[in-house]
Amino acid sequence: MALYKEQSLKIYNSMSGEKELFTPISEGNVGMYVCGPTVYSNVHLGNCRTFISFDLAFRYLKHLGYKVRYVRNITDAGHLENDAETGEDRIAKKARLEHIEPMEVVQRYTIDFHTILQKFNNLPPSIEPTATGHIVEQIETIKKIIEKGLAYEVNGSVYFDVFKFNKDHHYGKLSGRAIEDMIANTRELNAQSDKKNPQDFALWKKAEPQHIMRWPSPWSDGFPGWHLECTVMSSKYLGDEFDIHGGGMDLKFPHHECEIAQGEAATGKNPVHYWMHANMLTLNGKKMAKSTGNNILPEEIFTGKNDNLSKAFSPSVARFFMLQAQYRSILDFSNDALLASEKGFNRLMDSYRSIDQLPASSTSSFSVSEWKQRCYDAMNDDFNSPVLIATLFEAVKFINSVKEGEGKITHSDLELLKSSMQSFIFEVLGLLDVAVANENSSAKLSGTVELLIKLRAEARNNKDFATSDQIRDQLLELGIQLKDGKEGTTFSVD
RNA sequence: GGCAUCGUGGCCGAGUGGCUAGGCAGAGCUCUGCAAAAGCUCGUACAGCGGUUCGAAUCCGCUCGAUGCCUCCA
């Protein structure tokens, strides 16, 4: 029997503002769409947090036995830097600054994006469509919306008629806005706007002569509006209605609001059943954003080359740090927080590795099956990874107590403990055991250290503490820590 | 200005009416030749002010503060 039949997953739906029992449209199958990046520069750590959050959801849904189709787009068509009627798109700007083709910009940063997410051990999505690969579909959707009378053409550009749409629908229902408030709060636009109303948004923009990324359409040589690609690609691969749509909190308005409007205008159906929004990662208390320069690159974490960092941290430590906060909470990045996470992460891994060495008893002093269900309870509660991690640490405490000869565990509980820890740490949380990953290259090292441990033990037996301490202290200087336990000495490498 | 989210012990972060996570740091003890590691014990926090309630960090109101969106952003 599939696990999802035993576990009841609740997801916080941004649309209702409540945690709702998750029921997919088609039993056993989940369609999930997440807004991907615009590839005009390196992904920063804040971007990564969002994608790690949805990777966690993807992993858990799969773990529960769902067949998941995870679609995440790449925005590679240039979109304007602001809502002005003229201006340069960010990809073209980057191309001009670096003297390369716009598609070279796209290629370079798509590769960077993939490389970084792979280091964080994110699973690749099932489909990763690009905006430029779906121009035809986007034009077709614009035609549909025009036919419904909810879009209009002006000077080769097509705009979505928000006011007209709002007569029969509620534009603003996701972000809790009323159109009257939007009008009251509208900022002054430049006078030469083609839009009927400032709230209208572009479905198609006529390209200026210098605009490189352009495609023919019934209205003009131009390019699609930013919001359109997600509507088109999500419906193409997941259907007019699908289960989960995710993205960063900053996309809630206007991007996701526009997606809903486009979907409802084109098909008459409300496209998304569960809206999920991942919260921001902040640096120095401020949102990380490419546009303000308040950001830190993942590569700088891995190398330690950033003024905010005292040392380098592995991708798994950074991932663990982020998973220690719930995805809907703002998380503030700091060196101290990362240092604390690193210690906790290492303790978790050390404990996991020691499970094989635990002696079995005839009874257990810890209910493994009950503990396991609490792990599920945590994840079932809107993917609450920090509570899952806290629960994993209960097991760590127990494992260590067995090592000390305090706790007792039966053979079958031992098996269950090991397989559960394995599932949650690696499969669900997607953490990587650095020591295991380096096993092959470190086989010689561990042999060498084992030899030194043996020599030290002999020296200690002979009360030659000068020699034994020298071995211990010099190894520590090299980053190898010896740990004396009841069952002998083990070691860990930084 | 509008809308939204949030303010938890030294730090990071869970918890949404009573049983008061977890990690890191700190203190004591056990173990140890001494340490480290590990184990045990300790800390009793919820911005402020009112209100609801037998009982509130948790619900309501107000005040203060922070952040996000309202123009591109995960």
Side-chain angles (χ1 to χ4, degrees):
Chain A
M1 190 165 81
L3 262 176
Y4 62 77
K5 290 184 178 172
E6 301 164 20
Q7 305 294 339
S8 54
L9 171 64
K10 282 187 175 172
I11 295 180
Y12 181 90
N13 191 346
S14 304
M15 184 64 87
S16 65
E18 284 171 4
K19 288 178 191 169
E20 298 175 6
L21 187 68
F22 177 65
T23 313
I25 294 166
S26 160
E27 198 200 311
N29 295 282
V30 177
M32 177 163 90
Y33 186 91
V34 171
C35 293
T38 302
V39 280
Y40 71 99
S41 67
N42 297 292
V43 264
H44 63 69
L45 198 64
N47 295 315
C48 294
R49 184 189 181 202
T50 296
F51 299 120
I52 287 170
S53 296
F54 289 108
D55 185 57
L56 176 75
F58 181 41
R59 285 168 172 277
Y60 189 58
L61 288 166
K62 277 168 53 127
H63 175 78
L64 288 181
Y66 287 113
K67 186 177 171 191
V68 187
R69 183 180 290 169
Y70 174 22
V71 181
R72 187 183 63 208
N73 67 298
I74 294 278
T75 299
D76 60 348
H79 295 296
L80 301 183
E81 287 189 296
N82 53 50
D83 202 32
E85 294 303 294
T86 57
E88 199 171 18
D89 83 64
R90 59 194 66 255
I91 291 172
K93 184 179 180 183
K94 190 81 174 183
R96 180 171 57 76
L97 291 174
E98 302 198 3
H99 301 289
I100 54 178
E101 271 289 313
M103 281 317 260
E104 285 185 89
V105 172
V106 165
Q107 177 75 358
R108 176 182 298 175
Y109 294 111
T110 299
I111 290 172
D112 172 72
F113 175 63
H114 287 153
T115 306
I116 296 296
L117 287 196
Q118 195 174 11
K119 286 188 185 176
F120 278 117
N121 201 29
N122 272 21
L123 298 172
S126 323
I127 301 174
E128 193 165 47
T130 60
T132 57
H134 298 74
I135 300 293
V136 173
E137 290 88 339
Q138 295 186 68
I139 290 172
E140 290 307 306
T141 300
I142 296 171
K143 284 184 190 167
K144 270 191 214 167
I145 298 175
I146 292 176
E147 277 168 27
K148 298 275 169 70
L150 292 169
Y152 55 92
E153 191 219 318
V154 180
N155 296 328
S157 293
V158 181
Y159 297 96
F160 190 95
D161 193 333
V162 170
F163 275 52
K164 201 165 173 192
F165 173 80
N166 194 246
K167 283 178 185 161
D168 300 318
H169 304 78
H170 177 192
Y171 179 79
K173 63 183 174 186
L174 176 65
S175 53
R177 284 158 210 252
I179 203 158
E180 295 75 24
D181 296 335
M182 292 181 217
I183 299 163
N185 292 308
T186 299
R187 297 178 193 182
E188 290 295 317
L189 276 182
N190 22 357
Q192 66 273 34
S193 174
D194 289 333
K195 295 178 185 179
K196 283 191 200 167
N197 298 292
Q199 283 71 32
D200 293 351
F201 55 90
L203 297 175
W204 188 264
K205 287 290 287 184
K206 181 182 180 178
E208 301 283 316
Q210 71 276 14
H211 202 102
I212 300 169
M213 296 180 106
R214 59 202 296 151
W215 295 266
S217 82
W219 313 285
S220 64
D221 274 12
F223 53 95
W226 172 46
H227 311 301
L228 191 60
E229 61 183 73
C230 290
T231 295
V232 165
M233 296 190 283
S234 62
S235 61
K236 172 160 182 166
Y237 298 110
L238 299 172
D240 292 341
E241 282 186 76
F242 56 97
D243 299 303
I244 299 171
H245 188 126
M249 199 75 104
D250 51 350
L251 298 184
K252 203 169 178 181
F253 187 91
H255 183 59
H256 291 157
E257 209 70 77
C258 295
E259 272 190 67
I260 294 170
Q262 289 165 345
E264 290 184 343
T267 70
K269 294 173 192 159
N270 186 177
V272 177
H273 285 203
Y274 300 87
W275 279 97
M276 289 177 67
H277 288 96
N279 218 323
M280 300 292 101
L281 182 67
T282 59
L283 178 62
N284 301 318
K286 299 278 185 203
K287 175 190 173 183
M288 275 191 205
K290 290 172 189 171
S291 53
T292 59
N294 184 239
N295 65 33
I296 184 165
L297 297 176
E299 205 57 46
E300 295 171 334
I301 307 261
F302 309 153
T303 59
K305 284 176 188 154
N306 183 289
D307 292 343
N308 293 293
L309 297 170
S310 64
K311 66 184 281 294
F313 296 94
S314 75
S316 269
V317 166
R319 185 179 173 107
F320 183 74
F321 158 72
M322 293 193 231
L323 293 174
Q324 274 185 301
Q326 217 261 350
Y327 75 90
R328 285 192 290 117
S329 302
I330 293 171
L331 175 62
D332 193 51
F333 177 89
S334 72
N335 190 61
D336 285 351
L338 227 51
L339 282 169
S341 289
E342 183 173 51
K343 290 194 177 176
F345 175 74
N346 288 335
R347 206 157 80 84
L348 179 65
M349 288 302 167
D350 283 350
S351 170
Y352 172 74
R353 277 184 231 116
S354 70
I355 293 177
D356 284 335
Q357 275 78 56
L358 297 184
S361 305
S362 55
T363 56
S364 290
S365 56
F366 181 76
S367 173
V368 177
S369 56
E370 188 260 351
W371 163 83
K372 183 183 174 187
Q373 184 53 46
R374 278 189 290 122
C375 290
Y376 278 108
D377 291 344
M379 286 305 288
N380 289 340
D381 185 16
D382 195 30
F383 309 100
N384 199 327
S385 52
V387 170
L388 170 61
I389 289 170
T391 310
L392 293 178
F393 273 105
E394 286 180 33
V396 167
K397 218 169 182 181
F398 172 66
I399 290 165
N400 287 333
S401 79
V402 174
K403 238 192 300 186
E404 287 293 304
E406 303 286 327
K408 301 260 179 275
I409 185 164
T410 64
H411 189 72
S412 61
D413 272 353
L414 202 51
E415 303 258 292
L416 183 64
L417 180 66
K418 167 126 187 178
S419 66
S420 305
M421 286 286 272
Q422 206 273 332
S423 303
F424 283 109
I425 296 173
F426 303 109
E427 203 180 308
V428 175
L429 293 178
L431 299 170
L432 279 177
D433 189 339
V434 181
V436 169
N438 295 337
E439 204 168 273
N440 289 333
S441 60
S442 68
K444 288 171 187 169
L445 174 68
S446 67
T448 309
V449 177
E450 291 298 340
L451 176 65
L452 288 165
I453 287 174
K454 216 168 127 189
L455 291 173
R456 172 167 169 266
E458 283 170 19
R460 292 177 73 197
N461 279 336
N462 297 332
K463 304 242 186 278
D464 178 7
F465 297 122
T467 302
S468 68
D469 288 355
Q470 189 187 6
I471 292 171
R472 177 228 282 160
D473 297 340
Q474 290 195 357
L475 281 176
L476 189 62
E477 276 176 33
L478 294 169
I480 298 168
Q481 188 183 38
L482 300 186
K483 299 171 179 181
D484 296 329
K486 286 234 158 67
E487 306 299 321
T489 302
T490 58
F491 72 97
S492 64
V493 184
D494 277 354

